[in-house]
Amino acid sequence: MKKTLLILLFVLMVFPLISQNETSGEKSYVKINLKYSSDYVFMGRTDSLAAPYLSPSISYYHKSGFYTRGSLSYLTTADQNRIDLSIVSLGYDATSKNLYGGIGLSAYFFNQESYAVPSSLFGFLDAYLGYDFYWFEINTDLSLGMSDNMDVFTGIEVIRIFYLFDSKLLITPSFYTNAATQNYYNEYYNTRNSKMTLGGGFTKGKGANGNINNVNNVQESVTLEEASKFQVLDYEFSNSATYRLKNWRINATAKFFIPVNASTVTADGETVYEEELNNVFFYSFGIGYIIK
């Protein structure tokens, strides 16, 4: 699987050189960014122990549409201080009138002590397509998540961008829904099970939504009955504000996640419990600087 990831990275490095993009007249630029996020929420799921990240990143956007990006995520929880996640991405974006789209490949490097829900994943192959209807935009995306197994992720988003104060301030409300398989989630639960102490606790997080502690003293393999089932996993309501001041970009985002379709957890062939899903509120703040 990791060899496949390296091949795909090479393809994405070559692809932009043979592609055309209507925006090729624009200048290439570098963006340096620093973002704080309140938690790591994935498909509406999060560990009961919050994972607030402080994430510096640097990106290069070529006028052809090619881009590359690298980021680090530092876990700021008092007793967990460490670099919890590193990401390296390559991709290509293209625009033609009201139609836009792109492809990308990202390699994820989670710390072995990470309790983030998708910590078993080491790469994503992404594609997206969107259309601007003037009053609103619709985006669709398709991703392959790579771990010991493969997962399929899809999403559809409806957004509206409001330009205020001579387009210096952008307000972007949106609605997004995800559907996916959950092999990665099955691995997440098994990681929690393997870290469980005889008292039923964990050396890392407490498990998804705090409920895995209901599986007391279970040392057998844990299985999610719905792991390979493709289904809707959450609905997301979001509002983002971005202020543009010359080369500076200041952003604040708030999201509300409504997870659906709870998983059924089994151990040693017996049903243990049904996952309890809780709505999640997320926020982030960021500041960036563009160098042209």
Side-chain angles (χ1 to χ4, degrees), residues 12 15 65 67 90-95 99-105 125-130 140-142:
L12 279 178
F15 180 75
Y67 69 85
L90 292 169
Y92 182 76
D93 294 324
T95 302
L99 184 67
Y100 54 90
I103 57 174
L105 184 65
L125 176 62
D126 306 298
Y128 74 93
L129 185 66
T140 60
D141 59 70
L142 172 66

Side-chain angles (χ1 to χ4, degrees), residues 8-263:
L8 291 171
L9 278 168
F10 175 77
V11 170
L12 279 178
M13 291 176 68
V14 174
F15 180 75
L17 302 179
I18 59 175
S19 301
Q20 298 296 322
N21 189 342
E22 270 193 12
T23 60
S24 60
E26 298 180 358
K27 292 183 179 180
S28 303
Y29 64 93
V30 172
K31 183 177 182 181
I32 300 172
N33 196 74
L34 180 65
K35 182 176 74 172
Y36 174 80
S37 52
S38 62
D39 202 352
Y40 196 132
V41 187
F42 189 75
M43 299 288 154
R45 275 71 172 168
T46 183
D47 195 272
S48 61
L49 182 60
Y53 282 158
L54 185 64
S55 304
S57 65
I58 184 168
S59 309
Y60 172 70
Y61 298 89
H62 191 266
K63 61 183 180 180
S64 65
F66 168 79
Y67 69 85
T68 182
R69 181 185 304 117
S71 68
L72 300 174
S73 292
Y74 184 80
L75 185 60
T76 61
T77 305
D79 59 345
Q80 300 284 339
N81 304 106
R82 62 171 179 268
I83 295 176
D84 200 57
L85 171 62
S86 303
I87 305 174
V88 179
S89 302
L90 292 169
Y92 182 76
D93 294 324
T95 302
S96 179
K97 295 182 180 179
N98 291 359
L99 184 67
Y100 54 90
I103 57 174
L105 184 65
S106 299
Y108 278 55
F109 305 93
F110 281 96
N111 187 288
Q112 64 178 0
E113 293 300 316
S114 178
Y115 50 80
V117 169
S119 56
S120 64
L121 293 165
F122 59 78
F124 288 90
L125 176 62
D126 306 298
Y128 74 93
L129 185 66
Y131 192 85
D132 187 349
F133 291 93
Y134 183 74
W135 289 108
F136 63 93
E137 298 177 28
I138 294 181
N139 302 318
T140 60
D141 59 70
L142 172 66
S143 301
L144 297 179
M146 291 167 275
S147 60
D148 290 341
N149 295 289
M150 184 80 75
D151 279 299
V152 178
F153 303 95
T154 63
I156 184 167
E157 180 181 32
V158 179
I159 68 174
R160 175 75 163 95
I161 304 176
F162 296 93
Y163 298 88
L164 306 174
F165 304 113
D166 295 326
S167 297
K168 290 182 179 179
L169 178 63
L170 282 62
I171 304 295
T172 311
S174 69
F175 170 75
Y176 188 77
T177 185
N178 286 297
T181 57
Q182 292 181 287
N183 291 303
Y184 72 92
Y185 205 31
N186 189 67
E187 293 181 40
Y188 164 82
Y189 270 97
N190 271 288
T191 299
R192 295 301 170 274
N193 188 47
S194 66
K195 295 291 181 179
M196 187 177 291
T197 66
L198 292 177
F202 287 88
T203 60
K204 299 199 285 185
K206 297 180 181 178
N209 301 302
N211 291 321
I212 199 164
N213 282 331
N214 292 337
V215 194
N216 291 318
N217 302 318
V218 176
Q219 299 298 320
E220 300 298 330
S221 176
V222 174
T223 302
L224 266 67
E225 293 183 2
E226 300 83 4
S228 60
K229 182 179 180 180
F230 183 81
Q231 59 184 345
V232 173
L233 294 180
D234 81 330
Y235 303 102
E236 304 175 11
F237 297 88
S238 172
N239 197 16
S240 176
T242 301
Y243 186 73
R244 304 190 290 194
L245 180 62
K246 295 183 179 179
N247 288 9
W248 290 95
R249 302 291 184 268
I250 302 171
N251 175 269
T253 299
K255 287 187 178 183
F256 187 69
F257 298 81
I258 303 175
V260 294
N261 290 321
S263 298

